[in-house]
Amino acid sequence: MGTILATLVAATLVATGCATFPDSAPSFTDQPSLTPNEANVVTPTPGAPSSSPASTSGSRPSESTGPSSSTPTTTDPCAPTAPPVIASCLNQPWGLVPLPDGSSALVGERTTGRIFRVAEQQKPVLVATVPGVDGSGDGGLLGIALSPYYTEDELLYAYVTTAKDNRIVRIAPGDKPKAIFTGIPAADEHNGGPIAFGPDGMLYVATGDAGDPSSAGDPDSLAGKVLRLDAFGKPAQGNPGGTAVYASGLQDPTGICPLPGIGTEPGTSIGSGMGTVAHRGTGALLLPIRQGKNYTHPASGDAVWTYQAGNGGGVDCAISGGALLATSLREKKVISIQLTPTGGFTGSPQDLVTNTYGRLRTIITGPGELVWLTTSNTDGAGEPGPHDDRVIILPAAGGGGGGGQD
C-alpha cells in the first residue's frame, strides 16, 4: 500500500460545531423461513445502463470486465484509476467491504445486484450477481459483510430486498447465493440493510420499520430491529428469549460500525461493541447496540452521538486512527471526532473531504486503517459527473481535534 499512501491527497480539516453528544423478551409467532424466494422478479440485464442520469456518461460496468469494456484510455472516465479514486462508473454502490489483502475491496451495486472486486489501477472484476433484487425505493442489494473466517471459507453475506421481503443471503465462491434468513418486512422506504460481524463473531443486522413506525416496537415483527444471527442465519445463542431480535425500536438505520469501549450500560443491559446510525426525523443518532434495548423513544443518554439535521445528518459510521467518522449525503463530507480510551470524546468535530466527491454514503475501515468510501451521486438526488459513482480510499483519519475533555 506504499503506492496508495504516497498518492493520497491530504484532507483539509475545518472545525465545525456539527454534532452533540450526551454523557419482557420478544417472541415471534413464526420463525423465519429458510426457503429461497421464488418470486418472479426481473433481474437487471448485465451491463445495462442504470436509470440514473449518470448512466449516459462513459461506459457502465459490464458483466465480464467491470466499468469499462473498452481498452482504457486517458479520455475514458471509467478507466482504471489511481488513489484516492479506486473505481468509477458504478451503479449506486451501497455495500462495501475491504478484503484482507489491504489493497482491494468488494462493492455491491444496489439496483443491479452485482458485486465487484475493486483495486488500485485495475478494472473492477465481477465476482457475483444476486438474482431477484428489487431496487425500487431504497431497497436492493444493501449491506455486505465478510465471514469472520473469510481467508479460509471466502464466504460473503448480503442484505437483499426482493419483491417479497428483505433477507440475508450467503454467497460461496462459484455457487448461487443462498437465502439463510428471510421474512424481514420490505417497502419502498426504510428497508434498513447495514450488516456487520461483531467482535463476538455474530452477524448484526439493522432492519428498518418498512414505513410502519409501530412495527419497530412490535415484538412479533422483524421490522425496526437489530438482529443477531450466527453464520448459518439462526438466532445467536444468548439473544433475549432465544429469538433473532437483539434490540428494537429503529426507524431507518443506514449504518453500522464497531464502538470500542462503548455500548455497555451497567446494571441494565449488555453491550455488543457495535453501534448503528439510526435516523430520527431529518437528523440521526448513533445508538450503541445493547441487548434487549428498545429505542422507540430514546432517553437522554441513549445516543453516543447526535448528527444534527442542520449539518446534514449522518449516514454511516466507522472508526479510524482513534476517531469516530460519519458520512453525510446532503453536506457531501465526512465528519470526524476523536475518541478517548474510555469511549468518550475529546476536541472539536472536524470536516474531512468536504464537497470533493459529491454525496458520500458508505464508510468502512480496512487493513492499515485505510478508510474506504462510496459516493451516492447517481441515486436521483445527486448531480452525477462522468466518473460517478466511485469508490474512494483515504489514509487513517486520527489526529483531528484537540482541546478539552468531554
Side-chain angles (χ1 to χ4, degrees):
M1 296 299 292
T3 302
I4 294 177
L5 294 175
T7 54
L8 288 170
V9 179
T12 301
L13 303 179
V14 182
T16 66
C18 60
T20 58
F21 56 87
D23 289 328
S24 78
S27 60
F28 299 102
T29 54
D30 297 306
Q31 289 296 320
S33 168
L34 299 181
T35 303
N37 180 33
E38 299 298 335
N40 183 21
V41 182
V42 177
T43 304
T45 302
S50 76
S51 60
S52 63
S55 62
T56 58
S57 304
S59 304
R60 309 310 297 177
S62 68
E63 181 75 21
S64 59
T65 62
S68 177
S69 57
S70 61
T71 301
T73 69
T74 56
T75 60
D76 181 4
C78 303
T81 186
V85 176
I86 294 298
S88 301
C89 299
L90 296 168
N91 291 289
Q92 300 189 39
W94 205 100
L96 176 69
V97 59
L99 291 171
D101 61 17
S103 61
S104 62
L106 298 179
V107 59
E109 294 182 324
R110 183 179 69 84
T111 56
T112 69
R114 297 183 297 179
I115 300 172
F116 291 94
R117 181 184 180 274
V118 297
E120 178 187 358
Q121 297 185 323
Q122 297 180 25
K123 290 183 180 181
V125 176
L126 183 71
V127 297
T129 300
V130 181
V133 167
D134 182 353
S136 61
D138 64 11
L141 173 59
L142 302 176
I144 60 177
L146 299 182
S147 161
Y149 309 103
Y150 181 80
T151 54
E152 288 83 28
D153 59 30
E154 297 187 36
L155 292 176
L156 177 67
Y157 294 75
Y159 187 107
V160 177
T161 309
T162 73
K164 180 180 179 181
D165 62 3
N166 285 302
R167 55 182 53 201
I168 300 296
V169 300
R170 187 176 64 203
I171 306 168
D175 201 358
K176 294 181 179 179
K178 177 183 179 182
I180 62 170
F181 190 96
T182 66
I184 303 168
D188 287 337
E189 63 175 0
H190 295 188
N191 284 290
I195 65 173
F197 279 91
D200 56 1
M202 298 296 108
L203 182 64
Y204 288 82
V205 178
T207 74
D209 65 14
D212 178 12
S214 65
S215 66
D218 182 355
D220 293 325
S221 173
L222 292 171
K225 306 297 192 296
V226 175
L227 311 179
R228 181 171 172 263
L229 310 173
D230 66 17
F232 301 97
K234 304 286 187 180
Q237 291 187 359
N239 284 4
T243 73
V245 173
Y246 192 77
S248 61
L250 305 183
Q251 292 181 3
D252 182 23
T254 56
I256 195 167
C257 61
L259 291 180
I262 303 175
T264 300
E265 187 176 350
T268 58
S269 63
I270 300 173
S272 65
M274 303 289 289
T276 183
V277 178
H279 290 253
R280 285 288 194 276
T282 55
L285 305 175
L286 177 57
L287 299 172
I289 299 173
R290 293 173 175 150
Q291 178 178 304
K293 186 73 175 180
N294 188 333
Y295 292 104
T296 302
H297 303 289
S300 175
D302 277 347
V304 172
W305 193 265
T306 301
Y307 300 101
Q308 304 289 4
N311 196 56
V315 181
D316 197 8
C317 57
I319 300 292
S320 175
L324 170 66
L325 312 180
T327 49
S328 170
L329 288 170
R330 193 176 74 227
E331 294 299 315
K332 305 174 183 178
K333 64 185 177 184
V334 175
I335 303 166
S336 170
I337 181 69
Q338 198 71 21
L339 282 163
T340 67
T342 58
F345 300 91
T346 182
S348 300
Q350 308 290 319
D351 289 351
L352 309 179
V353 202
T354 304
N355 201 22
T356 303
Y357 303 104
R359 290 155 55 87
L360 298 172
R361 174 172 289 279
T362 307
I363 184 168
I364 188 169
T365 306
E369 294 207 348
L370 288 177
V371 179
W372 296 72
L373 297 157
T374 67
T375 67
S376 187
N377 296 316
T378 63
D379 60 1
E383 298 178 357
H387 300 271
D388 287 315
D389 268 316
R390 292 167 281 178
V391 175
I392 300 157
I393 59 171
L394 300 171
Q405 200 83 3
D406 66 320

